[in-house]
Structure formats: structure tokens, C-alpha cells
Amino acid sequence: MNSVLPHRRPVYLAASVALLATVAGGISTAVDSPLGPQISAAAGAAEGVEAISFPSPDEYFSALAKSTNPRWRKWYREIEQQPPTERSKIAAGLGMLVAEAHLSSMARDEQRLRNICGEIAAFAKVLGLSETAATHLAAVEAAATRGSWPEAQLALEQLLSGFAGKLLEQRDGDLARLAQIGLWMRVLQVGAGVVQEGHVKDLSLAVGGEGMPQRVALIASGLSERSRETEDVAFMLRQCDKICRVWSAEKFQSGREFTMEEVSDCHERLTGIIAHLSKR
């Protein structure tokens, strides 16, 4: 059986829909990108909001928790103390930090969440996003103090949507896309790891179910040629393409069961992507 994640909260659609809309008009040229036919297969998603919606990270993590008993703290990674020098890596790192905040909220770890909020503020400052960060991070921390974890998760979603909106206003579309990509690379890396070690019947949860890798790939297809040619982004695109080919719509629709070897391969590729995007 292949999972279908729940319908998405409207607030989380804002950033994803805006980013996808910016690539929809140029999708014919995007098909020539390193993601090739995988982008072509996802191009129809630009037709409507529901087709291109994403789950929130906590919806995805909650779907995993229904299938196994994840030890969320096992999947913590060391928090970067200083932003990197390259703006593209700062943006990707910002998305990964928001993923870490979601992971901490799943673990009900208030102190770690506060520490990550501090790092998010530092990364956001470099990109001119301090005002946006301050408003939403205050809401995240206040909710965590009250123990209202769903409220904290919702504030995290609003935070990333706010970042994307501001970056698009600043004509920094590539940075907005990289923040979204960083978020999902890290979220899916945790998910694939949980599936790899747990007793999860539906292995497709490793990639968030049918179509998830292609949706992330569609956002990546909107990156400028200059960004796509950088070493680390080019590596990410190649690995995403390979993940999309293994977890393709055709394979989902064929009813073929995925294998643990494919889950392990996916986790390894996602781990490599994060290492490249975090490299200083």
C-alpha cells in the first residue's frame, strides 16, 4: 500500500504555490534541466493549487509516527553556529534549520527549539529577513513555552512562508526556492531514516508518498542557470533526479512494492545532498 498524506493546511501552501507559479510559465525550458523527464512529469502540477500542495513537516512526521514509534531525538544533527558565507547555502541552511525546529517540536524539546530559533534569527539577518523572523519566532517560542506544540508548528510554517514571500519581493527567487528545498531535503532525510530503521509497512513513506520528490524537483527546476551550475546545487539536482527516477509515478501506479534497498539508497542520497549544501 502507498500512503496518501492528509490534505494540507492553507497557510503552508503560500510559499510553495508562489514558488511553483514562478516556474509554471517557463516549464518547457525547465524540461531541459538536469531533472529532465521528471520535471516534465510534474509539470501538470502547476495547473492547480491542490495538485501542487505540500504536507506540512509535522503532518509528514505524524504520518510516520502512526506507522512506527520514531525516536525523534536520534535524528538531531549538530546546529550550525555561524551562517556560511555563500547566500545560496545560507538560504538552504535556513530551510534545514526550520526542519530542525519541526523535528524538535515533534520531540517536545523546548530548549533545543529555542536554540534553533536563535540560529534561524542569525541566518535570517544575513538575508535581510530579521523583521519577518522576529515576528514569527516570538510566536514559536511563546507556543512552546505553553506546551502548545501544534501552535508552534503552525508558527514555523508561517515563518517559512513569510521568508519565501519576502525573498520573492526582494527578487531573490533562487534563495526562496533553496530555503524550501533545504527544508524538504532535511525532512525527507529524517523520514527515510525512520523508515529504514523502523517497522514501517509502507516504504513509500520514505519519500512522503507518491509525487513528493517530483514536487520538490519542480521547485528546483525554477532555479536560475547560474545557481544550477554551482557545484553543490548541481550535485543536489543530480541526486534529486536519481531519487525521482526510482520513486517515479509509473512505479507507484504499477503497484510494485518498493524495497528496503531503495529506501537506504534514498536516505544515502539525501544525506549527501545535505552534506553538500552545508559544506563551508
Side-chain angles (χ1 to χ4, degrees):
M1 182 182 72
N2 295 322
S3 288
V4 177
L5 293 181
H7 286 302
R8 312 1 173 171
R9 287 196 286 267
V11 64
Y12 195 69
L13 291 176
S16 300
V17 170
L19 291 174
L20 288 165
T22 64
V23 303
I27 200 69
S28 61
T29 56
V31 174
D32 296 326
S33 78
L35 294 165
Q38 304 305 327
I39 292 299
S40 180
E47 295 294 328
V49 170
E50 182 58 27
I52 58 175
S53 62
F54 280 68
S56 65
D58 65 280
E59 284 174 330
Y60 172 55
F61 287 149
S62 294
L64 285 169
K66 290 178 181 178
S67 299
T68 185
N69 185 28
R71 293 176 292 167
W72 298 118
R73 296 184 186 220
K74 174 182 177 178
W75 299 103
Y76 286 176
R77 66 190 293 264
E78 185 176 351
I79 302 171
E80 298 288 347
Q81 296 301 312
Q82 293 294 330
T85 56
E86 299 172 45
R87 286 172 64 82
S88 61
K89 289 186 177 180
I90 296 171
L94 194 57
M96 286 188 273
L97 282 170
V98 174
E100 292 297 325
H102 275 286
L103 183 60
S104 297
S105 75
M106 294 301 295
R108 306 299 191 249
D109 190 338
E110 180 184 350
Q111 186 56 56
R112 186 171 190 267
L113 180 58
R114 287 183 177 279
N115 293 343
I116 292 169
C117 284
E119 296 305 315
I120 290 173
F123 277 56
K125 181 178 180 180
V126 182
L127 297 181
L129 301 172
S130 290
E131 186 175 343
T132 303
T135 300
H136 295 297
L137 290 175
V140 172
E141 294 189 16
T145 298
R146 294 192 299 272
S148 179
W149 296 104
E151 188 178 344
Q153 291 159 350
L154 183 61
L156 286 168
E157 295 166 25
Q158 293 170 329
L159 171 69
L160 194 63
S161 291
F163 285 157
K166 189 66 176 177
L167 288 168
L168 289 171
E169 280 181 22
Q170 295 173 180
R171 299 186 180 278
D172 283 328
D174 276 8
L175 300 186
R177 293 182 187 92
L178 286 166
Q180 285 277 320
I181 291 166
L183 171 84
W184 283 106
M185 292 297 101
R186 176 59 178 143
V187 167
L188 292 175
Q189 185 217 15
V190 172
V194 169
V195 172
Q196 186 177 15
E197 76 158 13
H199 301 286
V200 180
K201 183 177 180 180
D202 181 7
L203 299 186
S204 74
L205 280 170
V207 294
E210 182 177 352
M212 176 64 83
Q214 287 75 16
R215 291 172 187 175
V216 178
L218 184 55
I219 288 180
S221 76
L223 292 168
S224 67
E225 183 177 355
R226 180 178 179 181
S227 289
R228 286 189 278 117
E229 288 179 347
T230 62
E231 177 186 353
D232 297 313
V233 172
F235 176 85
M236 180 268 292
L237 291 172
R238 290 193 300 272
Q239 298 306 309
C240 280
D241 183 49
K242 290 174 182 176
I243 292 171
C244 286
R245 291 177 188 278
V246 172
W247 302 84
S248 67
E250 291 77 14
K251 289 184 180 178
F252 272 96
Q253 292 162 12
S254 72
R256 180 180 74 78
E257 294 293 330
F258 291 97
T259 68
M260 190 58 75
E261 289 74 17
E262 289 169 330
V263 171
S264 298
D265 178 76
C266 177
H267 183 257
E268 183 178 340
R269 292 186 189 283
L270 289 167
T271 300
I273 289 171
I274 289 170
H276 272 260
L277 293 179
S278 303
K279 187 171 60 179
R280 293 176 180 270

PDB file of all heavy atoms in Angstrom, residues 61-94:
ATOM      1  N   PHE A  61       5.676  14.014   9.530  1.00  0.00           N
ATOM      2  CA  PHE A  61       6.225  13.308  10.681  1.00  0.00           C
ATOM      3  C   PHE A  61       5.130  12.551  11.440  1.00  0.00           C
ATOM      4  O   PHE A  61       5.351  11.443  11.946  1.00  0.00           O
ATOM      5  CB  PHE A  61       6.927  14.286  11.619  1.00  0.00           C
ATOM      6  CG  PHE A  61       8.252  14.795  11.112  1.00  0.00           C
ATOM      7  CD1 PHE A  61       8.705  16.066  11.451  1.00  0.00           C
ATOM      8  CD2 PHE A  61       9.063  14.009  10.304  1.00  0.00           C
ATOM      9  CE1 PHE A  61       9.931  16.542  10.997  1.00  0.00           C
ATOM     10  CE2 PHE A  61      10.292  14.476   9.831  1.00  0.00           C
ATOM     11  CZ  PHE A  61      10.723  15.748  10.185  1.00  0.00           C
ATOM     12  N   SER A  62       3.940  13.139  11.523  1.00  0.00           N
ATOM     13  CA  SER A  62       2.834  12.476  12.221  1.00  0.00           C
ATOM     14  C   SER A  62       2.402  11.214  11.480  1.00  0.00           C
ATOM     15  O   SER A  62       2.032  10.212  12.107  1.00  0.00           O
ATOM     16  CB  SER A  62       1.647  13.434  12.369  1.00  0.00           C
ATOM     17  OG  SER A  62       1.979  14.512  13.230  1.00  0.00           O
ATOM     18  N   ALA A  63       2.440  11.256  10.137  1.00  0.00           N
ATOM     19  CA  ALA A  63       2.122  10.067   9.352  1.00  0.00           C
ATOM     20  C   ALA A  63       3.126   8.953   9.639  1.00  0.00           C
ATOM     21  O   ALA A  63       2.756   7.780   9.744  1.00  0.00           O
ATOM     22  CB  ALA A  63       2.111  10.401   7.862  1.00  0.00           C
ATOM     23  N   LEU A  64       4.396   9.314   9.794  1.00  0.00           N
ATOM     24  CA  LEU A  64       5.405   8.327  10.163  1.00  0.00           C
ATOM     25  C   LEU A  64       5.128   7.756  11.554  1.00  0.00           C
ATOM     26  O   LEU A  64       5.260   6.550  11.775  1.00  0.00           O
ATOM     27  CB  LEU A  64       6.798   8.969  10.147  1.00  0.00           C
ATOM     28  CG  LEU A  64       7.432   9.244   8.786  1.00  0.00           C
ATOM     29  CD1 LEU A  64       8.665  10.131   8.964  1.00  0.00           C
ATOM     30  CD2 LEU A  64       7.818   7.940   8.091  1.00  0.00           C
ATOM     31  N   ALA A  65       4.743   8.630  12.471  1.00  0.00           N
ATOM     32  CA  ALA A  65       4.516   8.198  13.851  1.00  0.00           C
ATOM     33  C   ALA A  65       3.352   7.221  13.963  1.00  0.00           C
ATOM     34  O   ALA A  65       3.281   6.432  14.911  1.00  0.00           O
ATOM     35  CB  ALA A  65       4.276   9.415  14.741  1.00  0.00           C
ATOM     36  N   LYS A  66       2.412   7.264  13.005  1.00  0.00           N
ATOM     37  CA  LYS A  66       1.296   6.326  13.017  1.00  0.00           C
ATOM     38  C   LYS A  66       1.737   4.923  12.595  1.00  0.00           C
ATOM     39  O   LYS A  66       1.047   3.942  12.862  1.00  0.00           O
ATOM     40  CB  LYS A  66       0.185   6.818  12.091  1.00  0.00           C
ATOM     41  CG  LYS A  66      -0.542   8.050  12.605  1.00  0.00           C
ATOM     42  CD  LYS A  66      -1.599   8.515  11.612  1.00  0.00           C
ATOM     43  CE  LYS A  66      -2.303   9.770  12.125  1.00  0.00           C
ATOM     44  NZ  LYS A  66      -3.304  10.255  11.134  1.00  0.00           N
ATOM     45  N   SER A  67       2.881   4.848  11.899  1.00  0.00           N
ATOM     46  CA  SER A  67       3.355   3.562  11.388  1.00  0.00           C
ATOM     47  C   SER A  67       4.437   2.935  12.247  1.00  0.00           C
ATOM     48  O   SER A  67       4.699   1.738  12.150  1.00  0.00           O
ATOM     49  CB  SER A  67       3.900   3.745   9.965  1.00  0.00           C
ATOM     50  OG  SER A  67       2.893   4.202   9.095  1.00  0.00           O
ATOM     51  N   THR A  68       5.080   3.741  13.065  1.00  0.00           N
ATOM     52  CA  THR A  68       6.162   3.234  13.901  1.00  0.00           C
ATOM     53  C   THR A  68       6.274   4.141  15.114  1.00  0.00           C
ATOM     54  O   THR A  68       5.430   5.008  15.325  1.00  0.00           O
ATOM     55  CB  THR A  68       7.488   3.182  13.106  1.00  0.00           C
ATOM     56  OG1 THR A  68       8.504   2.565  13.910  1.00  0.00           O
ATOM     57  CG2 THR A  68       7.952   4.545  12.655  1.00  0.00           C
ATOM     58  N   ASN A  69       7.290   3.961  15.923  1.00  0.00           N
ATOM     59  CA  ASN A  69       7.483   4.792  17.110  1.00  0.00           C
ATOM     60  C   ASN A  69       8.834   5.477  17.005  1.00  0.00           C
ATOM     61  O   ASN A  69       9.816   5.034  17.605  1.00  0.00           O
ATOM     62  CB  ASN A  69       7.415   3.935  18.382  1.00  0.00           C
ATOM     63  CG  ASN A  69       7.501   4.782  19.636  1.00  0.00           C
ATOM     64  OD1 ASN A  69       7.117   5.952  19.651  1.00  0.00           O
ATOM     65  ND2 ASN A  69       8.027   4.195  20.706  1.00  0.00           N
ATOM     66  N   PRO A  70       8.902   6.567  16.207  1.00  0.00           N
ATOM     67  CA  PRO A  70      10.205   7.200  15.938  1.00  0.00           C
ATOM     68  C   PRO A  70      10.853   7.755  17.196  1.00  0.00           C
ATOM     69  O   PRO A  70      10.176   8.323  18.059  1.00  0.00           O
ATOM     70  CB  PRO A  70       9.841   8.341  14.983  1.00  0.00           C
ATOM     71  CG  PRO A  70       8.491   8.001  14.443  1.00  0.00           C
ATOM     72  CD  PRO A  70       7.800   7.263  15.541  1.00  0.00           C
ATOM     73  N   ARG A  71      12.150   7.578  17.277  1.00  0.00           N
ATOM     74  CA  ARG A  71      12.935   8.221  18.334  1.00  0.00           C
ATOM     75  C   ARG A  71      13.479   9.510  17.739  1.00  0.00           C
ATOM     76  O   ARG A  71      14.593   9.566  17.224  1.00  0.00           O
ATOM     77  CB  ARG A  71      14.059   7.284  18.791  1.00  0.00           C
ATOM     78  CG  ARG A  71      13.561   6.024  19.495  1.00  0.00           C
ATOM     79  CD  ARG A  71      14.694   5.093  19.843  1.00  0.00           C
ATOM     80  NE  ARG A  71      15.305   4.507  18.654  1.00  0.00           N
ATOM     81  CZ  ARG A  71      16.461   3.854  18.650  1.00  0.00           C
ATOM     82  NH1 ARG A  71      17.149   3.737  19.773  1.00  0.00           N
ATOM     83  NH2 ARG A  71      16.937   3.342  17.534  1.00  0.00           N
ATOM     84  N   TRP A  72      12.670  10.556  17.801  1.00  0.00           N
ATOM     85  CA  TRP A  72      12.987  11.782  17.087  1.00  0.00           C
ATOM     86  C   TRP A  72      14.350  12.347  17.464  1.00  0.00           C
ATOM     87  O   TRP A  72      15.077  12.859  16.607  1.00  0.00           O
ATOM     88  CB  TRP A  72      11.899  12.824  17.337  1.00  0.00           C
ATOM     89  CG  TRP A  72      10.536  12.425  16.856  1.00  0.00           C
ATOM     90  CD1 TRP A  72       9.405  12.245  17.621  1.00  0.00           C
ATOM     91  CD2 TRP A  72      10.136  12.146  15.509  1.00  0.00           C
ATOM     92  NE1 TRP A  72       8.350  11.869  16.832  1.00  0.00           N
ATOM     93  CE2 TRP A  72       8.753  11.805  15.530  1.00  0.00           C
ATOM     94  CE3 TRP A  72      10.806  12.145  14.283  1.00  0.00           C
ATOM     95  CZ2 TRP A  72       8.041  11.475  14.377  1.00  0.00           C
ATOM     96  CZ3 TRP A  72      10.096  11.821  13.132  1.00  0.00           C
ATOM     97  CH2 TRP A  72       8.739  11.499  13.189  1.00  0.00           C
ATOM     98  N   ARG A  73      14.720  12.260  18.730  1.00  0.00           N
ATOM     99  CA  ARG A  73      15.985  12.871  19.162  1.00  0.00           C
ATOM    100  C   ARG A  73      17.198  12.173  18.545  1.00  0.00           C
ATOM    101  O   ARG A  73      18.265  12.778  18.440  1.00  0.00           O
ATOM    102  CB  ARG A  73      16.075  12.868  20.687  1.00  0.00           C
ATOM    103  CG  ARG A  73      14.987  13.730  21.325  1.00  0.00           C
ATOM    104  CD  ARG A  73      15.109  13.831  22.822  1.00  0.00           C
ATOM    105  NE  ARG A  73      13.964  14.556  23.370  1.00  0.00           N
ATOM    106  CZ  ARG A  73      14.031  15.441  24.360  1.00  0.00           C
ATOM    107  NH1 ARG A  73      15.205  15.706  24.921  1.00  0.00           N
ATOM    108  NH2 ARG A  73      12.950  16.050  24.789  1.00  0.00           N
ATOM    109  N   LYS A  74      17.025  10.944  18.140  1.00  0.00           N
ATOM    110  CA  LYS A  74      18.129  10.237  17.486  1.00  0.00           C
ATOM    111  C   LYS A  74      18.530  10.923  16.188  1.00  0.00           C
ATOM    112  O   LYS A  74      19.687  10.832  15.756  1.00  0.00           O
ATOM    113  CB  LYS A  74      17.713   8.796  17.196  1.00  0.00           C
ATOM    114  CG  LYS A  74      18.752   8.028  16.390  1.00  0.00           C
ATOM    115  CD  LYS A  74      18.308   6.622  16.075  1.00  0.00           C
ATOM    116  CE  LYS A  74      19.359   5.923  15.209  1.00  0.00           C
ATOM    117  NZ  LYS A  74      19.003   4.521  14.910  1.00  0.00           N
ATOM    118  N   TRP A  75      17.586  11.634  15.571  1.00  0.00           N
ATOM    119  CA  TRP A  75      17.822  12.213  14.252  1.00  0.00           C
ATOM    120  C   TRP A  75      18.260  13.663  14.310  1.00  0.00           C
ATOM    121  O   TRP A  75      18.356  14.331  13.279  1.00  0.00           O
ATOM    122  CB  TRP A  75      16.562  12.053  13.391  1.00  0.00           C
ATOM    123  CG  TRP A  75      16.231  10.614  13.220  1.00  0.00           C
ATOM    124  CD1 TRP A  75      15.253   9.902  13.854  1.00  0.00           C
ATOM    125  CD2 TRP A  75      16.946   9.666  12.427  1.00  0.00           C
ATOM    126  NE1 TRP A  75      15.293   8.587  13.493  1.00  0.00           N
ATOM    127  CE2 TRP A  75      16.329   8.405  12.617  1.00  0.00           C
ATOM    128  CE3 TRP A  75      18.032   9.752  11.557  1.00  0.00           C
ATOM    129  CZ2 TRP A  75      16.760   7.257  11.972  1.00  0.00           C
ATOM    130  CZ3 TRP A  75      18.462   8.610  10.914  1.00  0.00           C
ATOM    131  CH2 TRP A  75      17.835   7.371  11.122  1.00  0.00           C
ATOM    132  N   TYR A  76      18.546  14.162  15.522  1.00  0.00           N
ATOM    133  CA  TYR A  76      19.082  15.520  15.624  1.00  0.00           C
ATOM    134  C   TYR A  76      20.424  15.593  14.899  1.00  0.00           C
ATOM    135  O   TYR A  76      21.195  14.628  14.888  1.00  0.00           O
ATOM    136  CB  TYR A  76      19.329  15.897  17.087  1.00  0.00           C
ATOM    137  CG  TYR A  76      18.098  16.193  17.915  1.00  0.00           C
ATOM    138  CD1 TYR A  76      18.221  16.457  19.274  1.00  0.00           C
ATOM    139  CD2 TYR A  76      16.828  16.210  17.359  1.00  0.00           C
ATOM    140  CE1 TYR A  76      17.128  16.733  20.063  1.00  0.00           C
ATOM    141  CE2 TYR A  76      15.716  16.491  18.143  1.00  0.00           C
ATOM    142  CZ  TYR A  76      15.865  16.750  19.492  1.00  0.00           C
ATOM    143  OH  TYR A  76      14.777  17.023  20.279  1.00  0.00           O
ATOM    144  N   ARG A  77      20.699  16.733  14.311  1.00  0.00           N
ATOM    145  CA  ARG A  77      22.033  16.980  13.770  1.00  0.00           C
ATOM    146  C   ARG A  77      22.586  18.236  14.418  1.00  0.00           C
ATOM    147  O   ARG A  77      21.846  19.065  14.934  1.00  0.00           O
ATOM    148  CB  ARG A  77      22.013  17.106  12.240  1.00  0.00           C
ATOM    149  CG  ARG A  77      21.279  18.306  11.708  1.00  0.00           C
ATOM    150  CD  ARG A  77      21.086  18.231  10.200  1.00  0.00           C
ATOM    151  NE  ARG A  77      22.314  18.328   9.458  1.00  0.00           N
ATOM    152  CZ  ARG A  77      22.777  19.460   8.929  1.00  0.00           C
ATOM    153  NH1 ARG A  77      22.106  20.597   9.077  1.00  0.00           N
ATOM    154  NH2 ARG A  77      23.899  19.480   8.244  1.00  0.00           N
ATOM    155  N   GLU A  78      23.890  18.344  14.398  1.00  0.00           N
ATOM    156  CA  GLU A  78      24.536  19.487  15.043  1.00  0.00           C
ATOM    157  C   GLU A  78      24.082  20.782  14.387  1.00  0.00           C
ATOM    158  O   GLU A  78      24.030  20.895  13.156  1.00  0.00           O
ATOM    159  CB  GLU A  78      26.055  19.362  14.931  1.00  0.00           C
ATOM    160  CG  GLU A  78      26.811  20.440  15.687  1.00  0.00           C
ATOM    161  CD  GLU A  78      28.320  20.233  15.641  1.00  0.00           C
ATOM    162  OE1 GLU A  78      28.760  19.166  15.173  1.00  0.00           O
ATOM    163  OE2 GLU A  78      29.046  21.145  16.059  1.00  0.00           O
ATOM    164  N   ILE A  79      23.753  21.747  15.217  1.00  0.00           N
ATOM    165  CA  ILE A  79      23.275  23.037  14.714  1.00  0.00           C
ATOM    166  C   ILE A  79      24.456  23.906  14.326  1.00  0.00           C
ATOM    167  O   ILE A  79      25.423  24.045  15.084  1.00  0.00           O
ATOM    168  CB  ILE A  79      22.438  23.756  15.791  1.00  0.00           C
ATOM    169  CG1 ILE A  79      21.249  22.876  16.215  1.00  0.00           C
ATOM    170  CG2 ILE A  79      21.942  25.100  15.292  1.00  0.00           C
ATOM    171  CD1 ILE A  79      20.501  23.408  17.411  1.00  0.00           C
ATOM    172  N   GLU A  80      24.390  24.493  13.138  1.00  0.00           N
ATOM    173  CA  GLU A  80      25.449  25.396  12.689  1.00  0.00           C
ATOM    174  C   GLU A  80      25.485  26.632  13.584  1.00  0.00           C
ATOM    175  O   GLU A  80      24.449  27.270  13.828  1.00  0.00           O
ATOM    176  CB  GLU A  80      25.197  25.826  11.238  1.00  0.00           C
ATOM    177  CG  GLU A  80      25.201  24.677  10.237  1.00  0.00           C
ATOM    178  CD  GLU A  80      26.588  24.121  10.002  1.00  0.00           C
ATOM    179  OE1 GLU A  80      27.571  24.765  10.418  1.00  0.00           O
ATOM    180  OE2 GLU A  80      26.690  23.028   9.409  1.00  0.00           O
ATOM    181  N   GLN A  81      26.655  26.980  14.070  1.00  0.00           N
ATOM    182  CA  GLN A  81      26.783  28.122  14.967  1.00  0.00           C
ATOM    183  C   GLN A  81      26.888  29.449  14.220  1.00  0.00           C
ATOM    184  O   GLN A  81      26.502  30.486  14.740  1.00  0.00           O
ATOM    185  CB  GLN A  81      28.008  27.934  15.877  1.00  0.00           C
ATOM    186  CG  GLN A  81      27.878  26.746  16.809  1.00  0.00           C
ATOM    187  CD  GLN A  81      26.683  26.837  17.721  1.00  0.00           C
ATOM    188  OE1 GLN A  81      26.440  27.856  18.352  1.00  0.00           O
ATOM    189  NE2 GLN A  81      25.896  25.766  17.766  1.00  0.00           N
ATOM    190  N   GLN A  82      27.398  29.418  13.005  1.00  0.00           N
ATOM    191  CA  GLN A  82      27.541  30.633  12.208  1.00  0.00           C
ATOM    192  C   GLN A  82      27.058  30.364  10.789  1.00  0.00           C
ATOM    193  O   GLN A  82      27.306  29.292  10.240  1.00  0.00           O
ATOM    194  CB  GLN A  82      29.012  31.083  12.181  1.00  0.00           C
ATOM    195  CG  GLN A  82      29.561  31.551  13.509  1.00  0.00           C
ATOM    196  CD  GLN A  82      28.893  32.814  14.005  1.00  0.00           C
ATOM    197  OE1 GLN A  82      28.451  33.650  13.220  1.00  0.00           O
ATOM    198  NE2 GLN A  82      28.827  32.964  15.323  1.00  0.00           N
ATOM    199  N   PRO A  83      26.376  31.339  10.185  1.00  0.00           N
ATOM    200  CA  PRO A  83      25.943  31.159   8.793  1.00  0.00           C
ATOM    201  C   PRO A  83      27.143  31.024   7.870  1.00  0.00           C
ATOM    202  O   PRO A  83      28.206  31.613   8.122  1.00  0.00           O
ATOM    203  CB  PRO A  83      25.172  32.450   8.492  1.00  0.00           C
ATOM    204  CG  PRO A  83      24.813  33.015   9.831  1.00  0.00           C
ATOM    205  CD  PRO A  83      25.927  32.616  10.749  1.00  0.00           C
ATOM    206  N   PRO A  84      27.033  30.250   6.796  1.00  0.00           N
ATOM    207  CA  PRO A  84      28.112  30.173   5.805  1.00  0.00           C
ATOM    208  C   PRO A  84      28.236  31.496   5.073  1.00  0.00           C
ATOM    209  O   PRO A  84      27.442  32.425   5.284  1.00  0.00           O
ATOM    210  CB  PRO A  84      27.651  29.048   4.867  1.00  0.00           C
ATOM    211  CG  PRO A  84      26.177  28.982   5.047  1.00  0.00           C
ATOM    212  CD  PRO A  84      25.891  29.390   6.453  1.00  0.00           C
ATOM    213  N   THR A  85      29.221  31.620   4.214  1.00  0.00           N
ATOM    214  CA  THR A  85      29.450  32.878   3.505  1.00  0.00           C
ATOM    215  C   THR A  85      28.619  32.999   2.229  1.00  0.00           C
ATOM    216  O   THR A  85      28.291  34.108   1.811  1.00  0.00           O
ATOM    217  CB  THR A  85      30.939  33.027   3.150  1.00  0.00           C
ATOM    218  OG1 THR A  85      31.357  31.881   2.400  1.00  0.00           O
ATOM    219  CG2 THR A  85      31.779  33.134   4.412  1.00  0.00           C
ATOM    220  N   GLU A  86      28.274  31.880   1.610  1.00  0.00           N
ATOM    221  CA  GLU A  86      27.516  31.919   0.360  1.00  0.00           C
ATOM    222  C   GLU A  86      26.020  32.063   0.651  1.00  0.00           C
ATOM    223  O   GLU A  86      25.457  31.306   1.430  1.00  0.00           O
ATOM    224  CB  GLU A  86      27.754  30.642  -0.453  1.00  0.00           C
ATOM    225  CG  GLU A  86      29.195  30.438  -0.860  1.00  0.00           C
ATOM    226  CD  GLU A  86      29.400  29.070  -1.498  1.00  0.00           C
ATOM    227  OE1 GLU A  86      28.561  28.680  -2.344  1.00  0.00           O
ATOM    228  OE2 GLU A  86      30.371  28.391  -1.132  1.00  0.00           O
ATOM    229  N   ARG A  87      25.388  33.035  -0.019  1.00  0.00           N
ATOM    230  CA  ARG A  87      23.968  33.289   0.233  1.00  0.00           C
ATOM    231  C   ARG A  87      23.102  32.086  -0.121  1.00  0.00           C
ATOM    232  O   ARG A  87      22.098  31.818   0.545  1.00  0.00           O
ATOM    233  CB  ARG A  87      23.515  34.534  -0.554  1.00  0.00           C
ATOM    234  CG  ARG A  87      24.032  35.823   0.056  1.00  0.00           C
ATOM    235  CD  ARG A  87      23.753  37.022  -0.844  1.00  0.00           C
ATOM    236  NE  ARG A  87      22.347  37.291  -1.030  1.00  0.00           N
ATOM    237  CZ  ARG A  87      21.573  37.965  -0.179  1.00  0.00           C
ATOM    238  NH1 ARG A  87      22.099  38.423   0.959  1.00  0.00           N
ATOM    239  NH2 ARG A  87      20.300  38.190  -0.438  1.00  0.00           N
ATOM    240  N   SER A  88      23.485  31.347  -1.156  1.00  0.00           N
ATOM    241  CA  SER A  88      22.695  30.174  -1.531  1.00  0.00           C
ATOM    242  C   SER A  88      22.696  29.143  -0.409  1.00  0.00           C
ATOM    243  O   SER A  88      21.669  28.521  -0.111  1.00  0.00           O
ATOM    244  CB  SER A  88      23.232  29.559  -2.829  1.00  0.00           C
ATOM    245  OG  SER A  88      24.578  29.131  -2.657  1.00  0.00           O
ATOM    246  N   LYS A  89      23.836  28.963   0.230  1.00  0.00           N
ATOM    247  CA  LYS A  89      23.925  27.995   1.327  1.00  0.00           C
ATOM    248  C   LYS A  89      23.250  28.525   2.591  1.00  0.00           C
ATOM    249  O   LYS A  89      22.726  27.745   3.387  1.00  0.00           O
ATOM    250  CB  LYS A  89      25.387  27.645   1.589  1.00  0.00           C
ATOM    251  CG  LYS A  89      26.005  26.800   0.486  1.00  0.00           C
ATOM    252  CD  LYS A  89      27.407  26.356   0.845  1.00  0.00           C
ATOM    253  CE  LYS A  89      27.972  25.448  -0.245  1.00  0.00           C
ATOM    254  NZ  LYS A  89      29.341  24.992   0.071  1.00  0.00           N
ATOM    255  N   ILE A  90      23.252  29.843   2.759  1.00  0.00           N
ATOM    256  CA  ILE A  90      22.528  30.418   3.893  1.00  0.00           C
ATOM    257  C   ILE A  90      21.040  30.131   3.739  1.00  0.00           C
ATOM    258  O   ILE A  90      20.361  29.733   4.692  1.00  0.00           O
ATOM    259  CB  ILE A  90      22.763  31.940   3.983  1.00  0.00           C
ATOM    260  CG1 ILE A  90      24.241  32.241   4.262  1.00  0.00           C
ATOM    261  CG2 ILE A  90      21.888  32.553   5.079  1.00  0.00           C
ATOM    262  CD1 ILE A  90      24.600  33.708   4.158  1.00  0.00           C
ATOM    263  N   ALA A  91      20.525  30.306   2.516  1.00  0.00           N
ATOM    264  CA  ALA A  91      19.099  30.065   2.271  1.00  0.00           C
ATOM    265  C   ALA A  91      18.744  28.597   2.481  1.00  0.00           C
ATOM    266  O   ALA A  91      17.762  28.269   3.159  1.00  0.00           O
ATOM    267  CB  ALA A  91      18.736  30.497   0.853  1.00  0.00           C
ATOM    268  N   ALA A  92      19.558  27.703   1.909  1.00  0.00           N
ATOM    269  CA  ALA A  92      19.307  26.275   2.102  1.00  0.00           C
ATOM    270  C   ALA A  92      19.420  25.912   3.582  1.00  0.00           C
ATOM    271  O   ALA A  92      18.619  25.130   4.115  1.00  0.00           O
ATOM    272  CB  ALA A  92      20.281  25.445   1.269  1.00  0.00           C
ATOM    273  N   GLY A  93      20.419  26.492   4.246  1.00  0.00           N
ATOM    274  CA  GLY A  93      20.603  26.248   5.675  1.00  0.00           C
ATOM    275  C   GLY A  93      19.432  26.744   6.499  1.00  0.00           C
ATOM    276  O   GLY A  93      19.057  26.129   7.503  1.00  0.00           O
ATOM    277  N   LEU A  94      18.843  27.854   6.068  1.00  0.00           N
ATOM    278  CA  LEU A  94      17.676  28.390   6.768  1.00  0.00           C
ATOM    279  C   LEU A  94      16.526  27.386   6.704  1.00  0.00           C
ATOM    280  O   LEU A  94      15.857  27.112   7.707  1.00  0.00           O
ATOM    281  CB  LEU A  94      17.269  29.711   6.114  1.00  0.00           C
ATOM    282  CG  LEU A  94      16.282  30.614   6.853  1.00  0.00           C
ATOM    283  CD1 LEU A  94      16.807  30.974   8.232  1.00  0.00           C
ATOM    284  CD2 LEU A  94      16.026  31.875   6.029  1.00  0.00           C
TER     285      LEU A  94
END
